[in-house]
């Protein structure tokens, strides 16, 4: 893995009114960190804030915002219901596609008899790949089907659509993938990509588009359904979060409402399959990570290992507890097998990457005839993140027309993978997806030319715009003492996190690792397959330390005598009833001693050096040899922490490393006392005081820098 570049967000100069508005949502803290994050992410007024934090305050967009396309779809489904036509849901095999199929199966099942008039079909991942295919369309037409409703697929299956029409099949396409240049001749094309990028529906995933179709039917024929529409929201949240779409607008609203529904599952068991999946992943359903790290990967594992994802729909929708328990167990076994395969293939891919010249490689394109197709997307995603480059991994498949290579592609940051693939369309047999993830196939003989051409296109398009290599974006700088329940509750205001609203990453400077522990071998003496390092972090703010975990690493990688800067995510661990707050280590680097304060707070070194009278301070005649180690913002963060730790508050409690001058010392001291006042002072007053103190510290450091740099002669 290449070394990562850290992009650290500077603290924002928050308006007092906005900080005060955020603090109202933080019962146990002053809301400073949450306000910083929200401001950074474009939430900058009270109306935006309320709609972002409180799903009840958000006004969801009508399904009929899709216009005539939605009306045509509703009319055609009503016609099919009235005339008794056979309707088939055509789904997809990833978590978004399986949940989308499940939403339509339950939602349309309120209007059509399930198993008689309404059925579903999901292509076999290993044999058929994504999208519509002619053999199955021909089979369905021969069985008397007259209407197909796709979900999470179909937008670019132009040849298949034309042939389906010739066989007498009508199609309603619900999808969110890239649109074709011209609208195909289907009954309706419900795809949010027709909207502008700032539209609240633009980022809907496949399951959310399917839900909007069901919502339109519920609104058009409210007396027919017997099941509340809200019962589908947990499925919507699973698909949305698992598919890594941008959680803004209606996507965020649906995810919020869906998580509310999901966290009821352990008690209500209304979806015994979902409840069992939560049990396997040790989740309560109240966190988006229960989906992104738990339910989502397990649903995806079904098709990755078995190829056929159909039983995933039964797992999510059946109300039979025993049947769901058996399906959940099979899902868990598939996930275990998936993890083992992923580890093996990742190691093989890493070996191939090491042989590349990464200085000239913009897009990593690798192929191996033995790689299993179902795992390649996961491995490509990890390689793309580790090396900061779009990655395409391919395996071979023998067909009647010759040997083809088929696989998955994943991208990073602002690099449009779909556009790169589209530029090489003449070399491909087919491709589909969106800017960050895609599937593709091409003749083996085209592979060398494809690799060269897509890299050339990459450098032409992005060569001057991107810095290749992994990037770690840091949102906040905190101390170990800041970690814990109060900060966790503040950061929870931003959930659900995902694309466009990532989980907050925290920088802690000058840390040491203690109580290091990692399992090297299992109970049978074999090397563990998935190592993890547990530890306690300490810095000068917290003698007790704070627990953490680093997945995939061992204690040999940490020097307990060394001081590090670390990037972490704060989490709450419920595994084996631990129920504790801890950090998940993302990245680390050895601290720079020139800018990181030591744990002993040594005084700033000074040398006696008389200044010219015009520059000399009245209080003393000396010139500081170096600037303070802490920025004004860091000083205020430490101040906020110290006022809660010290029983008394006086000048003796001010750390020497702050190196305060005669002007700022009384200001900081007065602010500390006001922060401790009982009863608490109004937030607006404290915010004003903080800003005044910050300005004074900034001015003092500016003057010191001038005195350090001025030529005394």
């Amino acid at each position: 893995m290449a070394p990562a570049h850290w992009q650290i967000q500077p603290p924002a100069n928050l308006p007092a009114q906005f900080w005060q508005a955020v603090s109202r949502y933080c019962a146990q803290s002053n809301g400073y960190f949450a306000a910083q994050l929200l401001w950074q992410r474009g939430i900058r007024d009270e109306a935006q804030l309320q709609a972002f934090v409180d799903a009840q305050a958000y006004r969801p967009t009508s399904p009929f915002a899709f216009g005539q396309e939605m009306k045509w779809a509703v009319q055609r489904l009503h016609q099919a219901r009235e005339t008794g036509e056979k309707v088939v849901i055509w789904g997809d095999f990833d978590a978004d596609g399986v949940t989308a199929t499940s939403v339509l199966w339950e939602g349309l099942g309120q209007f059509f008899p399930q198993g008689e008039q309404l059925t579903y079909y999901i292509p076999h991942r290993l044999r058929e790949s994504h999208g519509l295919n002619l053999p199955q369309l021909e089979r369905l037409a021969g069985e008397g089907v007259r209407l197909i409703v796709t979900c999470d697929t179909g937008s670019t299956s132009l040849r298949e659509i034309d042939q389906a029409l010739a066989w007498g099949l009508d199609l309603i396409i619900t999808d969110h993938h890239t649109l074709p240049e011209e609208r195909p001749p289907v009954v309706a094309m419900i795809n949010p990509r027709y909207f502008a990028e700032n539209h609240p529906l633009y980022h809907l995933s496949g399951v959310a588009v399917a839900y909007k179709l069901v919502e339109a039917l519920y609104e058009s024929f409210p007396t027919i359904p017997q099941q509340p529409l809200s019962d589908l929201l947990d499925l919507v949240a699973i698909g949305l979060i698992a598919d890594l779409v941008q959680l803004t607008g209606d996507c965020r609203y649906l995810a919020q409402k869906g998580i509310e529904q999901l966290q009821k599952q352990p008690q209500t068991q209304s979806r015994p399959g979902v409840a069992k999946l939560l049990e396997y992943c040790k989740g309560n359903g109240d966190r988006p990570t229960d989906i992104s790290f738990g339910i989502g990967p397990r649903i995806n594992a079904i098709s990755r290992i078995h190829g056929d994802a159909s039983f995933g729909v039964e797992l999510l929708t059946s109300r039979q507890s025993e049947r769901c328990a058996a399906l959940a167990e099979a899902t868990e076994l598939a996930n275990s097998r998936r993890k083992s395969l992923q580890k093996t293939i990742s190691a093989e891919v890493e070996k191939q990457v090491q042989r590349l010249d990464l200085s000239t490689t913009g897009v990593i394109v690798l192929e191996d005839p033995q790689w299993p197709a179902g795992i390649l997307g996961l491995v490509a995603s990890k390689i793309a993140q580790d090396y900061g480059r779009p990655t395409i991994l391919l395996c071979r498949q023998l067909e009647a027309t010759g040997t083809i290579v088929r696989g998955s592609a994943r991208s990073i940051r602002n690099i449009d993978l779909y556009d790169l693939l589209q530029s090489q369309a003449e070399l491909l047999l087919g491709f589909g997806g969106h800017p960050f993830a895609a599937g593709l196939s091409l003749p083996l003989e085209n592979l060398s030319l494809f690799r060269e051409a897509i890299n050339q296109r990459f450098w032409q398009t992005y060569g001057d715009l991107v810095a290749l290599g992994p990037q770690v974006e840091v949102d906040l700088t905190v101390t170990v003492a800041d970690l814990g329940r109060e900060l966790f509750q503040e950061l929870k205001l931003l959930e659900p996190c995902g694309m466009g609203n990532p989980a907050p990453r925290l920088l802690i400077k000058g840390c040491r690792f203690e109580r290091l522990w990692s399992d090297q071998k299992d109970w049978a003496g074999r090397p563990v397959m998935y190592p993890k390092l547990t530890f306690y972090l300490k810095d000068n703010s917290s003698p007790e330390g704070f627990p953490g975990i680093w997945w995939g690493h061992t204690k040999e990688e940490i020097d307990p005598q060394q001081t590090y800067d670390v990037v972490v995510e704060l989490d709450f661990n419920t595994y084996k009833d631990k129920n504790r707050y801890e950090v998940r280590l993302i990245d680390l680097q050895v601290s720079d001693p020139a800018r990181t304060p030591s744990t002993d707070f040594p005084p700033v070194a000074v040398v006696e050096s008389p200044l010219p009278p015009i520059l000399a301070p009245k209080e003393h005649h000396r010139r500081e040899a170096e600037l303070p180690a802490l920025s004004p913002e860091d000083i205020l963060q430490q101040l906020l922490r110290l006022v809660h730790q010290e029983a008394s508050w006086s000048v003796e409690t001010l750390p020497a490393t702050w190196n305060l001058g005669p002007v700022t010392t009384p200001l900081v001291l007065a602010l500390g006392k006001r922060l401790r006042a009982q009863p608490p002072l109004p937030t607006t007053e404290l915010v004003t005081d903080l800003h005044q103190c910050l300005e004074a510290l900034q001015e003092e450091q500016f003057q010191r820098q001038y005195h350090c740099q001025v030529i005394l002669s």
Side-chain angles (χ1 to χ4, degrees):
M1 176 176 174
H5 174 66
W6 292 2
Q7 296 179 321
I8 304 172
Q9 281 276 7
N13 190 9
L14 296 174
Q17 186 176 1
F18 180 75
W19 187 355
Q20 184 180 22
V22 175
S23 70
R24 289 197 290 268
Y25 294 96
C26 303
Q28 298 163 346
S29 59
N30 62 18
Y32 171 78
F33 294 114
Q36 285 282 339
L37 283 165
L38 290 162
W39 188 266
Q40 290 171 7
R41 298 181 184 193
I43 310 299
R44 299 190 173 183
D45 62 54
E46 292 194 45
Q48 284 180 300
L49 174 65
Q50 186 180 22
F52 185 88
V53 173
D54 182 6
Q56 304 301 328
Y58 183 83
R59 297 185 61 183
T61 309
S62 166
F64 290 101
F66 283 97
Q68 196 62 44
E69 299 285 356
M70 186 64 80
K71 292 178 181 177
W72 286 332
V74 170
Q75 290 169 1
R76 183 64 183 87
L77 285 165
H78 178 61
Q79 175 188 328
R81 183 175 188 272
E82 292 297 303
T83 58
E85 294 176 275
K86 288 185 178 181
V87 179
V88 168
I89 302 160
W90 188 295
D92 195 33
F93 41 71
D94 64 9
D96 189 28
V98 171
T99 51
T101 307
S102 301
V103 163
L104 289 183
W105 177 242
E106 279 196 12
L108 297 185
Q110 298 295 304
F111 299 87
F112 300 90
Q114 291 178 328
E116 301 173 19
Q117 194 178 354
L118 180 70
T119 55
Y120 62 85
Y121 178 76
I122 297 177
H124 193 284
R125 182 174 203 140
L126 306 180
R127 294 199 299 261
E128 297 174 289
S129 192
H130 298 273
L132 299 170
N133 66 74
L134 295 179
Q136 295 300 328
L137 288 172
E138 185 176 22
R139 176 184 65 81
L140 294 173
E143 293 175 358
V145 174
R146 287 295 170 261
L147 177 62
I148 292 176
V149 182
T150 76
C151 51
D152 195 36
T153 193
S155 291
T156 56
S157 299
L158 303 182
R159 183 170 69 98
E160 290 79 6
I161 288 172
D162 287 339
Q163 187 58 58
L165 291 177
W167 287 330
L169 293 166
D170 286 342
L171 288 105
I172 295 172
I173 304 293
T174 76
D175 194 8
H176 72 120
H177 293 100
T178 305
L179 293 164
E181 293 183 4
E182 295 184 7
R183 182 189 183 279
V186 295
V187 171
M189 172 72 91
I190 304 172
N191 190 319
R193 297 285 170 175
Y194 281 117
F195 294 119
E197 286 194 35
N198 61 353
H199 193 280
L201 297 181
Y202 178 80
H203 293 289
L204 294 185
S205 73
V207 68
V209 179
Y211 175 83
K212 284 295 180 183
L213 174 59
V214 176
E215 184 181 15
L217 283 170
Y218 268 65
E219 288 186 12
S220 300
F221 309 103
T223 61
I224 297 175
Q226 300 300 304
Q227 173 181 299
L229 181 65
S230 60
D231 283 4
L232 300 174
L233 286 170
D234 51 355
L235 299 179
V236 177
I238 292 170
L240 271 170
I241 293 172
D243 205 50
L244 301 178
V245 295
Q246 187 164 311
L247 295 179
T248 56
D250 275 53
C251 287
R252 177 174 175 82
Y253 166 78
L254 291 170
Q256 286 173 309
K257 300 297 288 183
I259 288 174
E260 289 177 12
Q261 190 80 3
L262 184 64
Q263 63 186 325
K264 301 174 185 176
Q265 288 303 327
Q267 290 76 38
T268 64
Q269 298 281 316
S270 59
R271 293 190 188 280
V274 173
K276 200 68 179 175
L277 290 179
L278 283 171
E279 183 181 324
Y280 276 120
C281 67
K282 314 298 181 186
N284 299 318
D286 61 337
R287 302 287 313 286
T289 49
D290 291 342
I291 296 170
S292 54
F293 296 136
I295 296 176
R298 284 166 170 79
I299 295 174
N300 277 319
I302 297 172
S303 63
R304 294 186 192 281
I305 300 303
H306 297 291
D308 183 4
S310 298
F311 83 71
V313 177
E314 186 180 0
L315 171 66
L316 297 178
T317 60
S318 172
R319 267 53 176 184
Q320 298 178 15
S321 297
E322 290 186 9
R323 175 61 176 162
C324 286
L327 294 174
E329 183 179 4
T331 301
E332 186 68 10
L333 290 172
N335 192 50
S336 297
R337 175 62 177 154
R338 183 272 304 172
K339 288 193 288 185
S340 177
L341 278 173
Q342 184 178 343
K343 182 178 178 64
T344 300
I345 303 307
S346 293
E348 294 178 6
V349 172
E350 284 279 359
K351 290 179 181 178
Q352 287 203 31
V353 173
Q354 297 305 317
R355 295 196 290 267
L356 297 176
D357 180 359
L358 293 178
S359 65
T360 60
T361 302
V363 181
I364 295 173
V365 183
L366 301 174
E367 180 268 340
D368 189 287
Q370 302 303 317
W371 288 343
I375 306 297
L376 295 184
L378 293 170
V379 180
S381 180
K382 183 179 185 303
I383 296 297
Q385 294 301 318
D386 284 354
Y387 290 91
R389 291 161 170 77
T391 299
I392 302 172
L393 300 182
L394 304 161
C395 62
R396 297 187 189 184
Q397 186 172 323
L398 184 61
E399 296 194 351
T401 55
T403 302
I404 68 168
V405 287
R406 182 190 303 277
S408 296
R410 297 293 184 268
S411 192
I412 55 157
R413 296 192 296 278
N414 299 318
I415 299 173
D416 190 333
L417 178 62
Y418 189 90
D419 178 69
L420 288 173
L421 291 175
Q422 195 168 40
S423 70
Q424 310 305 319
E426 72 278 2
L427 297 175
L428 303 175
L429 294 172
F431 69 98
H434 51 77
F436 292 101
L440 69 157
S441 62
L442 67 156
L444 178 61
E445 58 266 26
N446 289 358
L447 180 57
S448 295
L449 181 58
F450 169 77
R451 181 184 287 113
E452 180 181 345
I454 199 168
N455 266 282
Q456 183 178 0
R457 174 73 175 201
F458 172 87
W459 291 115
Q460 290 172 349
T461 308
Y462 298 104
D464 297 329
L465 301 179
V466 299
L468 288 179
Q471 306 285 316
V472 175
E473 296 185 0
V474 179
D475 300 287
L476 295 169
T477 301
V478 301
T479 65
V480 172
D482 293 321
L483 304 172
R485 186 171 187 270
E486 291 77 12
L487 180 57
F488 180 83
Q489 292 301 324
E490 278 196 45
L491 302 185
K492 207 167 185 295
L493 286 180
L494 279 83
E495 291 187 355
C497 295
M499 291 285 291
N501 180 41
R505 290 187 166 177
L506 315 174
L507 171 63
I508 308 172
K509 300 177 181 178
C511 296
R512 290 187 185 275
F513 288 82
E514 296 187 1
R515 296 162 65 178
L516 295 159
W517 176 259
S518 57
D519 288 323
Q520 305 293 321
K521 296 182 179 180
D522 62 16
W523 61 271
R526 297 166 300 194
V528 294
M529 183 172 291
Y530 309 109
K532 67 177 180 180
L533 171 66
T534 61
F535 55 83
Y536 272 73
L537 273 184
K538 286 189 178 182
D539 68 359
N540 56 355
S541 73
S542 174
E544 296 84 11
F546 195 82
I549 189 168
W550 196 14
W551 290 101
H553 296 268
T554 63
K555 63 182 180 181
E556 284 73 25
E557 300 175 59
I558 299 290
D559 179 359
Q561 304 303 315
Q562 187 61 264
T563 303
Y564 294 92
D565 295 346
V566 300
V567 178
V568 300
E569 291 179 5
L570 183 58
D571 202 1
F572 184 64
N573 189 349
T574 60
Y575 183 62
K576 292 185 178 179
D577 298 321
K578 280 184 180 178
N579 293 327
R580 73 175 188 183
Y581 298 96
E582 64 182 24
V583 293
R584 185 166 63 89
L585 185 60
I586 303 299
D587 199 14
L588 81 169
Q589 59 188 23
V590 175
S591 297
D592 180 355
R595 62 177 172 79
T596 303
S598 74
T599 57
D600 297 325
F601 288 106
V604 176
V606 297
V607 294
E608 300 298 329
S609 176
L611 298 174
I614 193 170
L615 297 178
K618 294 180 180 179
E619 293 83 359
H620 58 281
H621 293 275
R622 69 181 187 179
R623 185 179 187 194
E624 296 180 1
E626 60 181 72
L627 294 175
L630 295 178
S631 69
E633 292 81 4
D634 289 338
I635 290 173
L636 286 184
Q637 285 191 18
Q638 289 202 10
L639 172 67
L640 289 171
R641 185 184 70 253
L642 282 178
V643 295
H644 296 296
Q645 293 179 343
E646 296 291 336
S648 61
W649 187 249
S650 64
V651 69
E652 287 78 17
T653 63
L654 300 179
T657 47
W658 292 5
N659 199 20
L660 301 177
V663 175
T664 55
T665 295
L667 280 175
V668 171
L669 190 62
L671 177 59
K673 291 178 178 179
R674 287 173 65 77
L675 287 167
R676 285 179 59 84
Q678 294 296 330
L681 298 175
T683 303
T684 49
E685 289 186 24
L686 293 177
V687 171
T688 301
D689 291 346
L690 280 166
H691 280 305
Q692 290 176 348
C693 196
L694 177 64
E695 290 174 358
L697 289 165
Q698 290 170 335
E699 176 64 22
E700 183 175 80
Q701 289 204 7
F702 170 77
Q703 290 186 14
R704 284 179 172 171
Q705 185 175 20
Y706 176 76
H707 287 308
C708 285
Q709 296 174 349
V710 69
I711 300 173
L712 296 183
S713 62

